Amino acid sequence: MPGITEDTLIEVAIVGGGIIGLSLAAGLLKHNVKVKVYEQAKSFREIGAGIAFTANAIRCMNLMNPDIVSALRSGGSVPTSTDKNDPNDYLRWIDGYNKRRKDDPSYEEMLYKLSAGYRGFEGTRRDQFLEALVKIIPEEIVELKKRLNNIEEKGPNGRLQLNFADGTSAEADAVIGCDGIKSRVRQLMLGKDNPASYPHYTHKVAYRALVPMEKAIEALGEYKATNQHNHIGPNAYLIHYPVANHTMINATGFLSDPNEWPDDKVTVEPGFRKDLENAFADWNAPVKALIQHFPETLVKWAVFDMWDYPAPYFNKGNFCLAGDAAHASSPHHGAGACVGIEDALCLCTLMSQVNDTLRGDNKSASAKKNAAICTAFEVFDSVRRTRGQWIVNSSRRLCDLVQQPEWADESKWIKAATCFEEIRDRSFKIWHYDYDGMIKETVEEYAKRQSITKGSGGGAI
Amino acid sequence: MPGITEDTLIEVAIVGGGIIGLSLAAGLLKHNVKVKVYEQAKSFREIGAGIAFTANAIRCMNLMNPDIVSALRSGGSVPTSTDKNDPNDYLRWIDGYNKRRKDDPSYEEMLYKLSAGYRGFEGTRRDQFLEALVKIIPEEIVELKKRLNNIEEKGPNGRLQLNFADGTSAEADAVIGCDGIKSRVRQLMLGKDNPASYPHYTHKVAYRALVPMEKAIEALGEYKATNQHNHIGPNAYLIHYPVANHTMINATGFLSDPNEWPDDKVTVEPGFRKDLENAFADWNAPVKALIQHFPETLVKWAVFDMWDYPAPYFNKGNFCLAGDAAHASSPHHGAGACVGIEDALCLCTLMSQVNDTLRGDNKSASAKKNAAICTAFEVFDSVRRTRGQWIVNSSRRLCDLVQQPEWADESKWIKAATCFEEIRDRSFKIWHYDYDGMIKETVEEYAKRQSITKGSGGGAI
């Protein structure tokens, strides 16, 4: 192709080798964008047992690079519903607290059921997905044990030098922080005195456990054990779904905590079954029975997010944030990573556009390269920030709605149950996201701003 | 048409001659449904100065009866925006509390602007619209000074007798309560011990005033005075828009009130400019300047709604509730009546369907008539209840979002401003309602249930 020279091609550094970082890397490679991934750990790893992706997010993955979807599926993803007579996935909210029946102690009223459609959700183990993702990326693209210290500008044209804790450094034209809720890139971008540089406590704690399927069926009955259910009530909820080829269920209890959390660096600590027994003491029999199958000691996880102090912008010059680094949310929608995948699709589109801009012009120089990248990241911020901040708010709100204290007051049950229309709207906003519209907006907005930049710079279009 | 006999035609009694009751009556007449309206007052009147309808609600009116739209327009409705260079209507939220500028004391930052499209809103005076509505309805259809005492069943086939406070009575096959937030029909339906039979205090009070345009321009500047603006800040907001052919603005301040309201029968009382001066003492100069043009004594209005105790159902046999009687909301969306108009369109569709059912069959009898009406009202409840309850919740939520205490804390401004994506979604859910889809669902659901009823009754379809 005329006009292609080595120096017209941009080099992107992704900080963080988690699911979003590696998916983005796979997408950039597919779109012929040079990329390197720097991960601080000595091996790829993901915290947390399970993760689910909506059908919509999987379609976004497919647009970035179909190999990502193959990795997800080879990583053992399965639909979260398994009803033989109905191929659709559902979220189900059942009354875990009220309306007991003496004739049927296992009874819990179905309050709301929402279809996510055929294969609406696919769940997998995070570590298995990550392992499969690593395999689709050439080995030389990723560097482990690279904890980012700081980033310096090299000269006037925006070339960046990333300095790592091990004394080494690397160069790039653009840095994308996919380094999660405790993002170092965000801290470098916003400054260490900005509260948005740090996650904050949501006053919810989660206790997780894996329960063997036969024990789960004993406690819940076969239908509830083998399908996703969310037992809701005042100030808490207990959610579970089958994992590991239906040999176990993954169950998580979310409790409200009025206290402060002592240390934002240690957000996981041992918890005790007794805490759950106390919190759910007044709940229905199936909930209490399930908890009896939890181990006596289990993982207690303090939920942090960026609700109180959202990042005021997702870009600064040739720095950019994506996924949890930009908008770490609580997990109550079960869709934080899906919004991160949308971010990655947007960035993939933009970096590919930047390459095209530079390829089409023989006179490309590093100043022009930097201007194009900065414009692209501005477009990313304008297209993605509102939605990223929204998912943080909406996850919090979802928890408030399902944990309404009103569930404990019979005179307020009707009021409490009016929440489901809002839950539906919020879920649909995630599940039915118009990513095609996003891509169109991204391309158009980039072209518009790029032509202005070029025009003001005197360059020919 | 074969099969039409006088007794196949249903007679509908509408209790309440407000905007929803009269619009519904006009719609039923247009669809050849016999109707009478019973209004307790000795003349038609509406409380409250202004009311606005979305373009969407006006299209619903048009489907019921185009004369309703003519009445609205002959009643002097005008778009709420008047920018000569832009034909669209907007809602605007501006910062009434923070970010003062010494060089420009009139400065208030535009936080968010949302287009409702061309003629997106049309505002009018309630009394003028009502007066015009009365003119499109034959005089013999409406009876004034009919305060409903109770309703009795006459015999086994559902014929109803409405007994009024003046000792008179009337008969009908169906009763639709359009009698507002303090609905007597709702009370008869739910029972006097049910808290949902009564409105409850939202802990917000509103102070309204009309300010001459020249004074408004003096305080706000020409642009703000001549276009809708909502000045927002911690625990209060002040909204205004031009009325009366731009000779005045209608301004309303909404304040939070932690106390209980003493008497739900007296929700309007005299208020004092001094109350507003105190509440807005720390606000920006334009807000304080505008308040100085309020009269010293003005109307203080306690905002009540059905949020705490929603009606558990909108129908019971051949009784039904529509508009505020079913889902009285606070006024923060400015769209409560629009949802009432949607109710009326649904009922209009259903009553017309019932007539068709009865017309198509020579063997119609009063038992069959009653069954068809009951089925129709069940369909109304299933199609409309979720949305009716949602508007109540959403209006409350909107107020909470714009009155966030976070506006007063500079470190929380960014968090506070993330609310607008949710405000947009909620507004669009009202403005872009798929009423065609609603009509389709209504017709299909009625046909489905009616065929089951007929089937189980042994009748031929």
Side-chain angles (χ1 to χ4, degrees), chain A residues 307-310 312 386 389-390 393 397 411-412 414-415 418 421-422 425-426 429, chain B residues 307-310 312 386 389-390 393 397 411-412 414-415 418 421-422 425-426 429:
Chain A
W307 181 78
D308 306 83
Y309 300 100
T386 301
Q389 291 174 341
W390 174 87
N393 294 347
R397 175 76 174 170
S411 79
K412 295 289 186 74
I414 293 163
K415 186 260 166 192
T418 61
E421 178 73 356
E422 179 172 342
D425 289 343
R426 292 181 178 279
K429 184 167 168 125
Chain B
W307 181 78
D308 307 84
Y309 300 101
T386 301
Q389 291 174 342
W390 174 87
N393 294 348
R397 174 76 173 169
S411 79
K412 295 288 185 72
I414 294 163
K415 186 261 167 192
T418 62
E421 177 73 357
E422 179 172 342
D425 289 343
R426 293 182 178 279
K429 184 168 168 126

Side-chain angles (χ1 to χ4, degrees), chain A residues 153-172:
Chain A
E153 279 202 42
K154 300 277 288 179
N157 292 326
R159 185 78 176 165
L160 298 171
Q161 180 175 307
L162 294 83
N163 298 315
F164 301 107
D166 66 358
T168 62
S169 65
E171 289 195 14

